[in-house]
Amino acid sequence: MADRITRDDVAHVATLARLRLSDEELDMFTEQLAAVLAHAEDVASLDTAGVAPTAHPLPLENVLRADVPRPSLDRDEVLAAAPEVEEHRFRVPPVLGEAP
Amino acid sequence: MSESDWELVVGLEVHVELATATKIFCGCRNQFGDEPNTNICPVCLGLPGSLPVLNHQAVELAMRIGLALNCHVEPSIFHRKNYFYPDMPKDYQVSQYDEPINLDGSLELPDGTTIGIERAHLEEDTGKSTHVGGGGRIHDAGYSLVDYNRAGVPLVEIVSRPDIRSAEHARAYVNELRAILLATGASDAKMEEGSMRVDANVSVHKPGDPYGTRCEIKNLNSTRSLGRAIEYEMRRQIDLLETGERIVQETRHWNEDDGRTHTLRSKEEAYDYRYFPEPDLVPIAPDAAWQAAVRTALPVLPAARRVRLAAACGVTPAEAGVVVERDLDGFVLDAIAAGGVPARLLVHAENNLADGAGQLDVGAFAALTTLEADGALTATQAKTVLGELVASGGDPAAIAAAKGFEAMDDSALAAVVDELIAANPEPFARFKEGDQKVTGFFVGQVMKATQGKADGKVVTRLLHERAAGS
Amino acid sequence: MNRALETAAAVRSGERSAVDVVEEHLARIAEREGDIHAFNVVLADEARAAAAAVDDAVRAGRDPGPLAGVPIALKDNLCTLGIPTTCSSKILEGWRPPYDATVVARLTAAGAVSVGKTNLDEFAMGSSTENSAFGPTRNPHDLTRVPGGSSGGSAAAVAAGFAPLSLGSDTGGSIRQPAALCGVVGVKPTYGLVSRYGLVAFASSLDQIGPFAATVADAALLLEVIAGHDPMDSTSIDQPAPSLVDVLAQGVEGLRIGVLHELLDAEGIAPDVRRRTEAAADALSAAGAKVDEASVPAATYGLSAYYLIAPAEASSNLARYDGVRYGLRVDASNTGDMNEASRTAGFGAEVKRRIMLGTYALSAGYYDAYYGKAQQVRTLIIRDFKAAYEQFDLLLSPTSPTTAFALGAKTDDPLTMYLNDVCTIPTNLAGDPAMSVPFGVGDDGLPVGVQLLAPALGEATMFRAAAVLEEAMA
C-alpha cells in the first residue's frame, strides 16, 4: 500500500480542503492520521484482484424524473440566510484566479 | 517566419446547455435571462440535506447529441469533480469521468474532413459570477456577486480529438456542430448567450515529431474570436520554439481587445479533482429500445443534407454547403420536383437568396429556371425577376413580360457585336491575340447597347467566332 | 408499555388530548434536560401549537394520523422548515432550512408532535456526542457517562422519557450504539428504505435515518410511518413501507439465527457484553429458533474500509460549507481565504480530521490504494453477508463492545473511539438492516444492547426476533 502520511501531505491536503492548521495541529493530525491509516493497512492483505468496487449497496439504475417544472424557493427567504447580499445576489470577496 | 515548417494541432472542448424545461437534477426552470436567484431550490443551491434526481429529457438530449455525432451510447455513471469556487453551490460539480454516456464519434466538416469525437458527456452547469469594481475582470475586482439561476442547468461537454489542423477548420467544426445541435433540437447553441462555450487546446509540432505541449485557450465568445485566437496562439508558440524556449502547459485567456492570449494559471501541476463515483445517483443504462427511438427520431443532419442536395444538383457535397447552411436545400429539392433545373436552382439559391426565399414559391422558382434554360431569359434577367419574386411573389413569365425582358435573337445580337468590334478595333486586336480580359469590356458594351437583353454567353461566343475569322 | 402506540390510540379516540400529552413531556424535559442536555433546542411553543392542531382534527372528525399527538425528538441533522438545524456545528449555528426533510413531512402528516432538535456529534461524526460544538449529552442512566453517538441526544431523549420516539441517523452505528448505551431500541433500516432527502449528508452511501423507541412495537410503528419510496431521493427503494407492527407477535419458531463470531470475538468486546449476547442467543433458542455460529469473514475489515469510505464521502459532502451562501462566514480579503477562515473557525477537530483523512484517501496517487481498495473490500463484505444469509435468516452480535464509558475517557485517541463501531459498521457497508435491542445490564449496572442483523428488506423478520428478546427481558 502507500507510504506513511507525512506532515507535508497533511499540509497539502489541508490546503485542498480549505482548512488552515497551526503547527501544533499539523503535528497532531499527522500523527493521528498516520495511526488511522496504519490500522487501515490490513485491507492491503486482502486479495481483491478482479473484485469490482461497490459504489452503491443498491442495484438501482435509471432513476429519472420528468422534465416538468416545480416551484422554486422564495428568493428573499434564501437570501435572508446569506452572510452578505447585494442586488439579489450572494456577495463574496474578490476571487483570485479562475476556476481550476 | 517559417510557419510552413510547423503543423498546428487543435482540439476543441465545447460545452452546450441542453434545451430542457428544467434543470438537470431538480425542477427549477432552465431559463436564460430571469431575475437573479429566482430559479433556485434546495437541490441546485446545494443546501444541506438536498439530493439530485436526474432529468429524463437531459438523458434523451444527450443521447441525441451522441448519436448525431456517430458515438455509441454506453451505460454510464456520474462522478463528483471536487474543487472550491463561489459559483459552485456544492463545491463539487456532478459530471462524468471515465464512464461517460457517449464515446467515440465523429463530425464531418462541409469540405469532407472528418474530426474525431472522443466523448460527449453530461454534467451540471455552475452559477454565474459578476465582478464588481476594478476593471470588471477578475484580477482587479472589488468583489463578486453570484447568481445561481444557471447552477444545475444540464450541459453536454463534447470533446474532439486533436484532429483539427487550421483555424478555418476549427471555425467550420464549431459551425457544423452548432448546425447539428440546432437540427436535433438539443440546444440553441448561442455563443453570445453562453449556451455554447468553446475552449481550444492548441499546440504546434514539426510533422513527424510527437505532439507539442498544448495550451488551453478560454474566453472565446464567437467563432471569429476562435479563429483569431488560434492563429495568435500558433504564432506565439512557434516564435517561442524557434528562439529555443519551451512552451509552458497552461490555461490562457483570449483578450478580444488586444488580440492576444494571456496567462491565467499554470497547468504544470494539474489540479487534483479527487474524482469519485457520485453516491447520490445511480447508473444510467438506456436500453436498446430507447436508443433506437432516439436514433429513428433524428432529423436528416447537415452532412447528409449536403450529400442529398449535391446528388440532386450534380455538384460535390462541399459545393452544396452554403445552401444547406442557409436552410434552403429543402426548398431547392422541392423546386426540382416541380420541374426546375437543378444547377440553376442551386446557383440562384447560393448567390441570390442570401436572405431566404421570402415570397418566392417553389413553382415560380422552378418555372424561372426553366425559362432560363430555354433561353427565354438571360442570367441577368433571371436574377432581376427572382428579386421581384422574392419581394412580392407572382409568376416569372408575367414579370418578365412586364419588364419587357426577352432574350435577343442571335442575328440581331451579331449585328450589335459587329458594330462594337468596328468601333473598338484596338481592344478587339488584343482579344484576337488572346487577351481574355477584354471580353468583359465587350460584354459590358453589348449589355449597355441592348439594355441588358443580351445573353452574355452568346456575346462571348460571337466574339470568338469573329476573332477566328468570321 | 408501548407509549407511542398507546398514546396515539388514546389521542385518536379522544380519550386523551394531545395538548395534555405534550405538556406532560415538556414537564419532564424541564425537570431533567438541564442535567442531560439531550436537545440543542426545545420547541415548546411549536409543540403546543401542533398538539392543539391534532386535537382540532380529532374533534372535527378528521383522521389525525397513526402517530396522533405522539411527541417525537428529531436529531439536529434533519432539516426542519424554519427551525434551526445546526448538526451541532458552529458552522451551521442558527441556520434555518427553507424546507422539511421528507421524514419530517411524513411525521407531521402522521400527527406526530416534534418537541425538539436533539444533540449529536458534530455532523454525525463520533460515537459519544462529545464532538458536539454545544457541549455533550449525558447518559440518563449515569450522568458521568456518555450516551453514545452520534445520535446521543435522540437516544437520551427516549431513555429519559422526554419523548416516546425519536429519529436518529446511522452511518457506522450512530443509532444502534447509542441505543445500546442508553437501553432503548434503535433501528438502522435497509439502505434506501427511508428517504435521505433532508438529512444533512455525512457519508451518502452509508447514511440512513432510523427510529429510537423504548419498545420494539413503538419502533416498528415509527419505521412504518417514515419508510417507503421518495421521488426526491434517487437512492430510495421503489417500494412502500413494510408492515411491521402486525407481524411482531409471529415469533421465531424455526428461524435460523447465526451468532456472528467475527464480531462476538472481536478485539475489545467486554466479557459482560459477550455474556449478554450469549444469553440473547439462548433466549431465541428457547423461543424455538435454531441458533448456531455464523461467519462473515470480511466483516473483520469493516472498520478499516469504513474509515476510508466514510471520510472520503464526507470530505466532499462538507465542502459546501464555505461561508458563501449560508452558515458561518469569517471575512477575508479574498474568497479562498474567506472559505478557509470560515471552515477553520466553524468545524471542530474530529470533523477536520475526517475531512483531511477523506481528502487524502481520494487524492491523486492514493485513490486506488485507499478509496478504491475500500470499495472492493465492501464488495467482499456484501458477498460474505449474502453467503451467511444462505444459511441463516438472521444474525446476532453485540451492538457495542462495552457499556457506556465515562465522558472524556476516549477523547484523547481518535482510534480508540473508532473501535466502538466495530460491530455496527459492517451492516452499513453492506446496506442491510440491523437493530439494537436492550438486553439486560452489564457488570456496572449499565444497559447492554444486542444487535440483530437481517438481509436487505428483512425488517419484518428482524422485528419478530426483537419482540422475542424484549419479551424475554420483560
Side-chain angles (χ1 to χ4, degrees):
Chain A
M1 223 160 153
D3 299 324
R4 187 192 158 95
I5 190 172
T6 66
R7 202 171 184 277
D8 282 346
D9 290 332
V10 179
H12 173 66
V13 153
T15 308
L16 272 180
R18 293 275 209 263
L19 292 171
R20 186 180 302 145
L21 303 179
S22 67
D23 283 336
E24 297 82 52
E25 283 172 319
L26 256 182
D27 289 333
M28 176 188 73
F29 282 130
T30 304
E31 220 184 281
Q32 290 173 342
L33 293 182
V36 175
L37 289 167
H39 192 268
E41 294 286 327
D42 61 351
V43 299
S45 66
L46 280 180
D47 180 11
T48 57
V51 177
T54 296
H56 279 118
L58 289 176
L60 287 177
E61 71 180 17
N62 293 334
V63 175
L64 300 169
R65 68 177 169 84
D67 189 23
V68 171
R70 289 171 52 103
S72 291
L73 284 174
D74 176 63
R75 172 167 76 177
D76 292 332
E77 197 182 344
V78 172
L79 292 176
E84 230 186 309
V85 171
E86 187 175 298
E87 287 177 33
H88 304 293
R89 278 174 257 238
F90 296 84
R91 178 178 161 149
V92 294
V95 184
L96 298 182
E98 294 258 311
Chain B
M1 162 117 60
S2 49
E3 252 175 56
S4 51
D5 293 345
W6 298 89
E7 182 174 72
L8 171 68
V9 174
V10 174
L12 294 178
E13 283 172 20
V14 180
H15 289 82
V16 293
E17 290 181 1
L18 297 181
T20 53
T22 61
K23 296 187 178 183
I24 191 172
F25 296 127
C26 68
C28 289
R29 285 177 198 279
N30 172 8
Q31 188 105 311
F32 178 79
D34 279 353
E35 278 292 299
N37 291 308
T38 50
N39 295 328
I40 57 176
C41 76
V43 178
C44 56
L45 205 55
L47 292 185
S50 62
L51 293 172
V53 184
L54 183 58
N55 183 339
H56 184 281
Q57 187 67 357
V59 180
E60 167 91 19
L61 295 181
M63 281 205 284
R64 269 193 221 172
I65 292 173
L67 291 171
L69 293 174
N70 306 304
C71 296
H72 33 103
V73 173
E74 302 286 328
S76 65
I77 64 173
F78 287 92
H79 271 74
R80 290 190 187 179
K81 181 178 180 183
N82 298 282
Y83 63 97
F84 285 87
Y85 207 72
D87 64 7
M88 300 253 292
K90 301 182 291 290
D91 291 305
Y92 60 83
Q93 181 194 30
V94 180
S95 177
Q96 296 192 305
Y97 184 53
D98 56 1
E99 292 179 58
I101 186 168
N102 297 306
L103 275 177
D104 293 334
S106 61
L107 183 151
E108 193 188 289
L109 302 181
D111 72 359
T113 312
T114 300
I115 307 297
I117 304 282
E118 204 173 280
R119 50 189 282 149
H121 69 256
L122 273 165
E123 60 184 32
E124 59 177 345
D125 207 347
T126 66
K128 205 150 177 9
S129 302
T130 324
H131 310 294
V132 179
R137 287 174 293 118
I138 290 173
H139 326 287
D140 41 7
Y143 55 94
S144 292
L145 299 177
V146 192
D147 169 18
Y148 294 102
N149 278 355
R150 197 182 71 179
V153 162
L155 295 177
V156 166
E157 179 179 344
I158 301 159
V159 182
S160 84
R161 298 198 190 280
D163 294 343
I164 295 170
R165 294 285 171 272
S166 68
E168 295 75 52
H169 271 179
R171 297 180 53 172
Y173 175 94
V174 171
N175 287 329
E176 184 72 3
L177 182 58
R178 177 153 201 274
I180 291 172
L181 292 166
L182 290 171
T184 58
S187 172
D188 65 11
K190 294 183 184 170
M191 280 180 86
E192 68 277 14
E193 271 182 19
S195 55
M196 180 164 79
R197 295 163 227 163
V198 180
D199 298 328
N201 286 300
V202 179
S203 70
V204 296
H205 73 139
K206 296 228 166 115
D209 286 351
Y211 283 166
T213 304
R214 66 172 196 254
C215 291
E216 184 184 18
I217 315 296
K218 286 173 128 34
N219 195 40
L220 303 166
N221 297 321
S222 65
T223 48
R224 182 165 172 272
S225 297
L226 172 67
R228 291 179 69 209
I230 288 173
E231 305 214 301
Y232 170 83
E233 182 61 18
M234 174 178 68
R235 281 194 298 275
R236 184 191 77 89
Q237 292 192 14
I238 289 172
D239 284 347
L240 279 173
L241 291 170
E242 291 199 329
T243 56
E245 310 248 5
R246 65 181 252 285
I247 307 296
V248 171
Q249 183 179 8
E250 59 184 354
T251 298
R252 299 178 68 86
H253 189 93
W254 168 251
N255 184 316
E256 189 62 39
D257 300 327
D258 70 11
R260 299 153 69 142
T261 62
H262 299 265
T263 304
L264 258 192
R265 65 174 180 270
S266 178
K267 239 177 175 177
E268 296 268 47
E269 253 187 55
Y271 189 85
D272 187 0
Y273 293 111
R274 287 155 281 134
Y275 284 99
F276 70 100
E278 168 60 83
D280 290 330
L281 291 169
V282 298
I284 340 165
D287 62 17
W290 191 3
Q291 291 187 43
V294 176
R295 193 178 281 110
T296 312
L298 283 177
V300 182
L301 296 173
R305 286 165 65 186
R306 287 191 291 270
V307 166
R308 185 174 60 178
L309 183 63
C313 297
V315 297
T316 66
E319 288 167 330
V322 173
V323 175
V324 168
E325 198 180 323
R326 206 172 278 160
D327 251 352
L328 288 173
D329 48 329
F331 191 70
V332 168
L333 291 171
D334 289 343
I336 293 174
V341 179
R344 294 307 305 157
L345 289 166
L346 188 70
V347 168
H348 281 304
E350 179 161 340
N351 296 339
N352 303 322
L353 294 181
D355 297 325
Q359 300 299 312
L360 172 68
D361 70 55
V362 163
F365 198 24
L368 178 71
T369 58
T370 309
L371 287 171
E372 255 187 289
D374 289 346
L377 284 177
T378 66
T380 317
Q381 290 168 337
K383 178 173 172 171
T384 308
V385 172
L386 183 63
E388 188 151 326
L389 287 167
V390 169
S392 27
D395 168 66
I399 293 171
K403 288 192 183 301
F405 284 165
E406 42 196 50
M408 261 181 121
D409 72 52
D410 284 6
S411 53
L413 190 50
V416 175
V417 171
D418 288 335
E419 253 180 61
L420 281 166
I421 288 172
N424 298 282
E426 214 243 303
F428 189 62
R430 275 187 273 139
F431 180 80
K432 279 210 286 201
E433 276 157 27
D435 187 344
Q436 300 298 319
K437 288 195 226 95
V438 190
T439 317
F441 164 73
F442 276 106
V443 170
Q445 291 295 306
V446 170
M447 288 299 184
K448 225 165 81 175
T450 63
Q451 289 153 317
K453 291 186 191 173
D455 185 335
K457 290 200 288 290
V458 176
V459 171
T460 309
R461 178 170 55 77
L462 288 166
L463 283 170
H464 279 290
E465 283 173 10
R466 295 299 182 264
S470 215
Chain C
M1 182 191 54
N2 294 309
R3 293 214 303 276
L5 269 167
E6 286 161 16
T7 301
V11 169
R12 288 166 66 89
S13 71
E15 188 191 316
R16 288 196 72 193
S17 81
V19 167
D20 283 349
V21 171
V22 94
E23 289 299 346
E24 179 193 309
H25 287 85
L26 288 174
R28 246 178 259 148
I29 292 170
E31 200 188 310
R32 290 193 72 195
E33 169 61 5
D35 292 330
I36 292 172
H37 184 222
F39 293 99
N40 285 340
V41 64
V42 176
L43 301 167
D45 291 337
E46 292 86 343
R48 289 181 178 115
V54 169
D55 287 335
D56 287 345
V58 171
R59 270 193 294 273
R62 292 195 304 274
D63 182 357
L67 288 177
V70 179
I72 187 164
L74 302 173
K75 188 174 183 180
D76 204 16
N77 61 355
L78 290 166
C79 285
T80 43
L81 172 64
I83 290 168
T85 301
T86 69
C87 301
S88 287
S89 177
K90 290 211 279 273
I91 216 167
L92 278 181
E93 194 168 5
W95 180 62
R96 292 169 190 267
Y99 75 108
D100 270 333
T102 296
V103 296
V104 172
R106 289 183 182 181
L107 287 172
T108 306
V113 174
S114 175
V115 290
K117 304 296 292 295
T118 60
N119 197 15
L120 59 149
D121 282 297
E122 188 180 359
F123 283 106
M125 298 182 194
S127 310
S128 66
T129 312
E130 292 172 291
N131 291 327
S132 167
F134 308 132
T137 297
R138 291 157 191 280
N139 193 315
H141 294 275
D142 178 340
L143 297 175
T144 66
R145 308 266 178 158
V146 302
S150 61
S151 313
S154 282
V158 171
F162 294 162
L165 300 175
S166 69
L167 281 186
S169 69
D170 190 311
T171 305
S174 290
I175 290 176
R176 295 160 285 159
Q177 184 255 20
L181 269 49
C182 289
V184 298
V185 177
V187 184
K188 185 205 85 71
T190 306
Y191 183 86
L193 184 63
V194 178
S195 167
R196 289 185 298 118
Y197 186 74
L199 170 66
V200 179
F202 160 15
S204 316
S205 74
L206 303 167
D207 293 342
Q208 268 293 277
I209 298 169
F212 284 100
T215 66
V216 172
D218 280 355
L221 177 64
L222 179 49
L223 186 51
E224 280 181 2
V225 168
I226 60 173
H229 181 248
D230 181 14
M232 298 297 286
D233 178 354
S234 297
T235 61
S236 165
I237 295 175
D238 196 3
Q239 284 196 28
S243 174
L244 297 169
V245 175
D246 289 345
V247 308
L248 289 176
Q250 284 178 20
V252 296
E253 181 75 44
L255 285 183
R256 305 162 299 164
I257 302 184
V259 181
L260 243 184
H261 110 80
E262 281 84 11
L263 299 187
L264 188 67
D265 300 326
E267 190 189 315
I269 304 292
D272 55 355
V273 167
R274 194 195 165 92
R275 281 199 303 276
R276 294 312 304 156
T277 310
E278 285 161 347
D282 292 340
L284 290 166
S285 183
K290 292 212 296 276
V291 180
D292 213 328
E293 192 186 275
S295 173
V296 175
T300 315
Y301 302 97
L303 209 70
S304 307
Y306 176 85
Y307 278 102
L308 293 169
I309 294 171
E313 293 182 7
S315 69
S316 179
N317 284 326
L318 268 61
R320 68 194 68 202
Y321 304 105
D322 58 10
V324 173
R325 293 160 293 283
Y326 47 82
L328 179 70
R329 177 188 287 198
V330 175
D331 272 308
S333 60
N334 65 76
T335 292
D337 285 351
M338 183 273 283
N339 295 149
E340 205 174 75
S342 307
R343 292 162 65 77
T344 304
F347 289 140
E350 183 61 37
V351 168
K352 285 177 182 163
R353 191 166 20 248
R354 296 203 196 191
I355 288 175
M356 289 193 294
L357 187 55
T359 307
Y360 185 71
L362 290 173
S363 64
Y366 296 109
Y367 180 98
D368 290 334
Y370 288 126
Y371 186 78
K373 191 86 176 182
Q375 294 285 44
Q376 289 177 300
V377 169
R378 192 170 182 176
T379 304
L380 294 177
I381 291 174
I382 292 171
R383 272 191 211 172
D384 285 357
F385 268 112
K386 271 212 169 68
Y389 287 124
E390 304 278 309
Q391 293 180 50
F392 297 98
D393 301 302
L394 293 173
L395 299 173
L396 179 74
S397 81
T399 305
S400 166
T402 65
T403 55
F405 45 92
L407 287 153
K410 300 194 182 186
T411 46
D412 284 342
D413 178 14
L415 207 52
T416 315
M417 188 66 83
Y418 296 167
L419 292 171
N420 282 303
D421 301 326
V422 65
C423 294
T424 47
I425 273 172
T427 39
N428 295 90
L429 291 167
D432 294 337
M435 64 190 287
S436 183
V437 184
F439 206 72
V441 296
D443 295 340
D444 50 15
L446 289 170
V448 172
V450 294
Q451 179 176 230
L452 287 163
L453 302 83
L457 296 175
E459 276 81 354
T461 316
M462 187 173 73
F463 269 86
R464 283 162 54 188
V468 166
L469 288 176
E470 184 177 64
E471 180 71 31
M473 291 305 303

